[in-house]
Amino acid sequence: MLLKRLRNVMARGGAAQLRLDQTVKLIAGEMVAEVCSIYLLRAGEVLELFATEGLKKEAVHKTRLRVGEGLVGDIAGHARPLALADAQHHPQFAYRPETGEELFQSLMGVPILRAGRVIGVLVIQNRTRRQYTEEEIETLETVAMVLAELVASGELVSAEELRPGDGIALLPLRLDGVTLCPGLARGIAVLHQQTLQLQQLVAEDPERESERLAAALMEMQSSIDTMLSAGDIAGQGEHFDVLETYRLFAQDQGWRNRMMEAVQTGLTAEAAVQKVQNDTRARMREMTDPYLRERLADLDDLANRLLRHLLGADMPTLRRLPEEAIVVARTMGPAELLDYDRTRLKGVVLEEGSQNAHVAIVARALDIPVLGRCQDLMQRVGDGDPLVIDGDNATLFIRPSDDIQATFVESMRQRLVKREAYAAIRELPAVTRDGISVDLNINAGLLMDVPQLAATNAVGIGLYRTEIPFMISHEYPDVPRQTEIYRKVLDGAGNRPVIFRTLDIGSDKVLPYWNRAPEENPAMGWRAIRIALDRPAMLRQQLRAMMNAAAGRTLSVMFPMVTELTEFDSCRRLLDLELKRQAGRSTPLPSEVKVGAMVEVPALLWQLPELLKRVDFLSVGSNDLQQFLFAADRDNPAAAGRYDTLAPAMRRALAEVARAASEAGKPFGLCGEMAGDPLAAMALLCLGYRALSMAPPRVLPMRAAIRSLDFNGLYGYWQTIQQLDGPSLRSALLDYALDHKIPL
Ligand code: PEP
Ligand code: MG
């Protein structure tokens, strides 16, 4: 009923302000509330009272609240509904005498959202204590959706004002982010979320709307099938799994049913799609779980796609992209990336996103630079702004000055020169000028990383992070699935050795299908082999899959986060049990099994001789070792950035591992980020390290650095700088590198 009446108000035409005034009256009446008010967002993140029924009329266009201020500001700030039986005693309540609000005890409000952005708040209030129901919140949300269309017309608040950025947006800006797919790119900003105008929200004929929805779903399904069969994305790799999951989502019966039900309540097909998506967003908004956030991006992608089919709107592919385009989005689904003309798409920038974001995985397969986690991106960038992505420094330049553009063009040129120089040394060994040879390995975690072995001519995979396939999968991979992954890794590596690390989940690496209690200090909590030893079946399955995959070949396994010797012993015992179990079966055993431990918990530093008796090799995980040695969260720049890998404590810890392992005659190496840093590598060489494992793009630059070094000369210098008692040897090593023209 309310929707029908609302439609009549909207259809009546006339000034938008008038329609807004009629709307608040209508809602107040229908929802039996003494007050209904609409606040709209103005420039400067201010919410202005635009219409009210029940509050003092003089307050309209006068009362203003900052986003975050008061209950209304709180609804806008968190983009979530609030329903309070006793609003006046809520700590966020901000009293505004001009409104006469003090008379009303209960409050329910919902954000007015457009393209995922808050553009206003719709509120009802009651004089006496009232418990609002879930259903009432939903009704108000649907109404807010209708209002969003009225606001978007630009009559109430100008289109420029609605466009985020308010003025400051025109200055050149720099935003820091996180490089999700490396590379440099320059182009013109294309805002991804082109908002679709929903013309009609209330249906004339629900039957016809069901048919429209069903037809659009069918059309969408077949267009997805066509899209996913394109030559450059077909084939193996995680991006393919990601897209397959997406295809399954499109067929999800629950999603379809929810939309059909929404149509039955009197919404048009497109309004039903939007409503269901708004509900899903509202439910998932507060989730911090990165995997579920990815699911949300998938679902947004699908909902937008379906809306386009319903509205007959162009797919972005059909929009003419500038010759060099950089797509800008809050988040993006994996298939949305594929909508763009790949010959013109030079890069992607996201406000959210993570290494395992589905869009990042697909972008990596297509080699498109992606920068993620750029704060306030959508408020800073406008359609058509020139952009530069500097993936090396995880920086985005918005409307860069001519100087920056020129510098960037120059670094692109230099990069090309360097790339050619690297290509020329690809086949040459990583040996210093005086003959010290270093094994350069790659770190990998995705099947699509494996071809990097050949591309960089690395010795092998020094660290295969097995948790990554677990993290992007929608269900726990069983033994056959795991076997298939590990077999593909070994096949892809050919004769080059691979070290598999057993699951290092926990901490920031969450598995979507596994509900775990939140932890106060997850990095130091229940993670890696601590989980494995409490859930031995999991570890045994993983080891079994590795053995099956390695059949007849060498299997190298290492355990993460070993803290005590008994933990290593227990892991080893499980491995032996699996070996025994496998021995009686038809699958051949690995020709040889090597078992190692990662040194990443400082406690191990005082157990090295005993540990070395038990292991076949050691690998230092410098990322975690540094985190725990300095008690500094590795993901928090404010903490991690304070300490250097070349600080005396770290240097001594690394020296101790090298000394003890050399004495025991056991191979050892290092596989944290510092392995890819030429200055750190110079130090590691001096400390006795001869095996480094790094991100693939670091291998060729590292080969160049090593080939230009004279080890004896460096070692002499190294000994002289040991006496320095500064916080780090970095600057001393930098001086040396510059003096000796070591490419950094
Ligand atoms: C490390 O801790 O250094 C390491 C290589 O493991 P990860 O980065 O996966 O924790
Ligand atoms: Mg680690």
Side-chain angles (χ1 to χ4, degrees):
M1 231 19 217
L2 171 60
L3 276 181
K4 275 232 167 87
R5 294 212 169 125
L6 197 57
R7 191 189 58 179
N8 290 341
V9 169
M10 292 298 157
R12 234 177 262 154
Q17 178 69 50
L18 191 69
R19 279 184 281 167
L20 213 56
D21 293 340
Q22 290 165 342
T23 304
V24 286
K25 205 175 197 127
L26 175 72
I27 300 170
E30 291 285 332
M31 298 200 70
V32 201
E34 281 90 19
V35 175
C36 174
S37 313
I38 294 171
Y39 295 80
L40 297 183
L41 192 69
R42 310 285 321 241
E45 303 281 287
V46 169
L47 292 154
E48 178 177 314
L49 179 66
F50 257 72
T52 184
E53 171 69 16
L55 296 186
K56 291 186 187 156
K57 294 280 187 243
E58 329 56 290
V60 172
H61 297 302
K62 294 228 170 54
T63 293
R64 290 174 164 222
L65 293 156
R66 270 177 294 105
V67 169
E69 182 188 357
L71 295 171
V72 170
D74 186 76
I75 294 166
H78 291 97
R80 64 162 183 226
L82 261 188
L84 302 168
D86 187 6
Q88 287 190 11
H89 293 104
H90 191 280
Q92 285 275 62
F93 183 79
Y95 173 53
R96 286 306 168 92
E98 74 272 18
T99 62
E101 219 171 1
E102 66 279 11
L103 298 174
F104 305 99
Q105 194 181 5
S106 308
L107 175 145
M108 166 167 76
V110 296
I112 304 175
L113 295 162
R114 177 120 184 114
R117 249 174 47 79
V118 175
I119 56 170
V121 174
L122 170 63
V123 185
I124 61 170
Q125 285 171 280
N126 280 80
R127 199 180 286 266
T128 51
R129 196 182 170 86
R130 169 166 168 190
Q131 213 79 44
Y132 301 100
T133 66
E134 276 296 316
E135 225 167 67
E136 285 168 335
I137 298 179
E138 272 200 21
T139 307
L140 209 60
E141 280 181 322
T142 309
V143 173
M145 210 167 87
V146 178
L147 280 173
E149 300 305 317
L150 180 66
V151 179
S153 70
E155 214 181 305
L156 294 158
V157 177
S158 71
E160 289 73 54
E161 227 181 313
L162 280 178
R163 194 177 97 74
D166 50 66
I168 36 164
L170 297 173
L171 300 170
L173 273 176
R174 224 191 93 144
L175 287 186
D176 291 328
V178 174
T179 301
L180 303 183
C181 181
L184 305 181
R186 190 165 76 130
I188 300 298
V190 173
L191 294 193
H192 170 62
Q193 274 269 345
Q194 289 93 39
T195 38
L196 296 166
Q197 287 279 351
L198 302 198
Q199 304 294 355
Q200 197 179 341
L201 295 143
V202 186
E204 308 275 355
D205 173 3
E207 226 19 73
R208 207 181 95 66
E209 294 304 313
S210 313
E211 284 161 18
R212 284 184 64 227
L213 183 59
L217 278 164
M218 265 202 352
E219 234 179 71
M220 179 182 80
Q221 192 65 52
S222 81
S223 79
I224 291 177
D225 290 344
T226 314
M227 180 173 72
L228 299 193
S229 57
D232 54 349
I233 52 157
Q236 284 180 352
E238 290 72 14
H239 64 289
F240 203 66
D241 295 348
V242 160
L243 294 169
E244 272 305 315
T245 312
Y246 177 84
R247 194 203 303 264
L248 286 178
F249 268 143
Q251 295 162 357
D252 183 73
Q253 208 48 49
W255 181 54
R256 289 170 176 239
N257 291 345
R258 282 195 297 282
M259 289 188 292
M260 284 297 179
E261 278 162 21
V263 164
Q264 297 310 326
T265 67
L267 293 177
T268 56
E270 41 274 51
V273 175
Q274 191 145 319
K275 172 168 191 314
V276 168
Q277 192 51 20
N278 283 349
D279 292 349
T280 312
R281 267 200 222 119
R283 263 189 290 117
M284 294 172 84
R285 195 176 294 130
E286 299 292 309
M287 291 185 181
T288 46
D289 180 332
Y291 181 88
L292 290 178
R293 296 203 66 83
E294 270 318 296
R295 292 279 82 108
L296 188 56
D298 282 7
L299 294 173
D300 273 336
D301 181 331
L302 271 179
N304 283 336
R305 191 171 300 275
L306 188 54
L307 280 178
R308 286 209 171 83
H309 281 284
L310 279 165
L311 296 168
D314 286 348
M315 291 294 163
T317 7
L318 305 176
R319 262 186 76 195
R320 232 186 122 57
L321 282 188
E323 207 139 306
E324 299 196 312
I326 293 185
V327 168
V328 175
R330 181 180 303 280
T331 59
M332 207 168 154
E336 282 172 317
L337 185 69
L338 303 179
D339 285 332
Y340 289 97
D341 175 352
R342 263 127 46 218
T343 59
R344 292 174 170 235
L345 178 62
K346 301 298 169 205
V348 175
V349 198
L350 303 173
E351 188 162 314
E352 298 180 3
S354 66
Q355 288 297 340
N356 299 311
H358 294 168
V359 62
I361 289 170
V362 176
R364 261 177 257 158
L366 297 170
D367 201 17
I368 298 171
V370 183
L371 197 64
R373 308 252 283 276
C374 291
Q375 238 186 2
D376 298 332
L377 175 71
M378 303 309 285
Q379 286 170 32
R380 310 276 178 210
V381 179
D383 227 352
D385 282 345
L387 299 179
V388 163
I389 297 178
D390 175 0
D392 291 350
N393 298 301
T395 304
L396 173 72
F397 294 94
I398 305 169
R399 297 173 294 274
S401 62
D402 291 347
D403 285 0
I404 290 191
Q405 299 240 24
T407 315
F408 182 77
V409 170
E410 175 56 20
S411 42
M412 291 264 266
R413 196 190 60 77
Q414 280 180 14
R415 199 183 170 92
L416 208 66
V417 172
K418 264 192 186 167
R419 207 177 257 189
E420 281 162 8
Y422 292 152
I425 60 162
R426 184 187 159 279
E427 300 294 333
L428 302 177
V431 177
T432 62
R433 288 183 8 218
D434 49 350
I436 303 288
S437 172
V438 185
D439 284 352
L440 301 184
N441 295 277
I442 61 166
N443 293 345
L446 291 170
L447 276 174
M448 64 197 180
D449 294 334
V450 179
Q452 288 299 317
L453 267 178
T456 59
N457 192 23
V459 169
I461 299 182
L463 166 67
Y464 184 84
R465 294 181 164 107
T466 58
E467 59 277 5
I468 312 254
F470 281 72
M471 288 162 68
I472 58 170
S473 175
H474 62 285
E475 58 186 2
Y476 194 88
D478 58 11
V479 175
R481 173 77 187 119
Q482 290 188 49
T483 308
E484 185 190 330
I485 297 172
Y486 306 144
R487 186 177 293 132
K488 280 184 187 154
V489 175
L490 289 169
D491 291 350
N495 293 326
R496 304 178 205 244
V498 177
I499 300 179
F500 287 106
R501 173 175 78 184
T502 61
L503 271 188
D504 184 9
I505 48 171
S507 187
D508 59 329
K509 298 165 181 166
V510 285
L511 301 187
Y513 30 82
W514 195 5
N515 268 334
R516 295 182 39 192
E519 297 178 65
E520 286 280 338
N521 284 308
M524 297 192 286
W526 199 48
R527 60 175 284 198
I529 55 161
R530 298 174 186 174
I531 297 180
L533 292 175
D534 290 347
R535 301 273 185 280
M538 253 172 66
L539 180 59
R540 285 189 64 170
Q541 283 179 11
Q542 191 176 30
L543 294 169
R544 191 178 313 156
M546 287 175 185
M547 286 170 193
N548 288 339
R553 304 181 266 203
T554 300
L555 171 63
S556 299
V557 186
M558 66 181 172
F559 300 111
M561 295 292 293
V562 176
T563 309
E564 289 192 329
L565 301 173
T566 50
E567 291 171 339
F568 182 84
D569 292 340
S570 305
C571 289
R572 168 111 228 183
R573 208 170 306 122
L574 291 174
L575 185 133
D576 289 336
L577 273 175
E578 269 315 306
L579 269 179
K580 210 180 278 166
R581 179 181 184 277
Q582 291 295 93
R585 308 198 171 224
S586 54
T587 333
L589 286 171
S591 58
E592 168 189 33
V593 181
K594 294 185 185 166
V595 191
M598 287 190 78
V599 181
E600 30 186 11
V601 180
L604 270 194
L605 296 173
W606 290 275
Q607 305 172 79
L608 286 170
E610 296 82 358
L611 179 68
L612 281 155
K613 286 193 191 115
R614 293 160 153 92
V615 299
D616 296 313
F617 63 91
L618 285 185
S619 184
V620 178
S622 55
N623 304 337
D624 275 312
L625 184 61
Q626 186 183 8
Q627 152 163 277
F628 297 124
L629 203 58
F630 295 118
D633 182 346
R634 62 191 258 188
D635 293 324
N636 179 346
R642 310 176 96 87
Y643 309 100
D644 193 57
T645 40
L646 300 177
M650 188 72 178
R651 195 166 79 234
R652 285 186 195 153
L654 294 169
E656 193 46 34
V657 176
R659 193 198 55 73
S662 307
E663 206 171 281
K666 295 282 166 77
F668 64 98
L670 184 139
C671 63
E673 293 308 310
M674 72 181 285
D677 163 11
L679 291 180
M682 283 160 56
L684 289 167
L685 242 60
C686 293
L687 292 170
Y689 287 76
R690 296 292 179 266
L692 304 175
S693 193
M694 60 201 75
R698 297 305 312 154
V699 173
L700 290 177
M702 189 57 78
R703 191 186 300 279
I706 287 172
R707 291 183 57 80
S708 63
L709 274 174
D710 173 62
F711 177 72
N712 268 315
L714 171 67
Y715 192 69
Y717 179 74
W718 172 257
Q719 284 175 315
T720 64
I721 59 176
Q722 293 309 297
Q723 284 75 31
L724 300 177
D725 61 358
S728 166
L729 290 183
R730 186 166 292 274
S731 61
L733 285 169
L734 180 62
D735 289 347
Y736 183 90
L738 293 176
D739 285 352
H740 294 81
K741 302 204 166 27
I742 313 296
L744 297 176

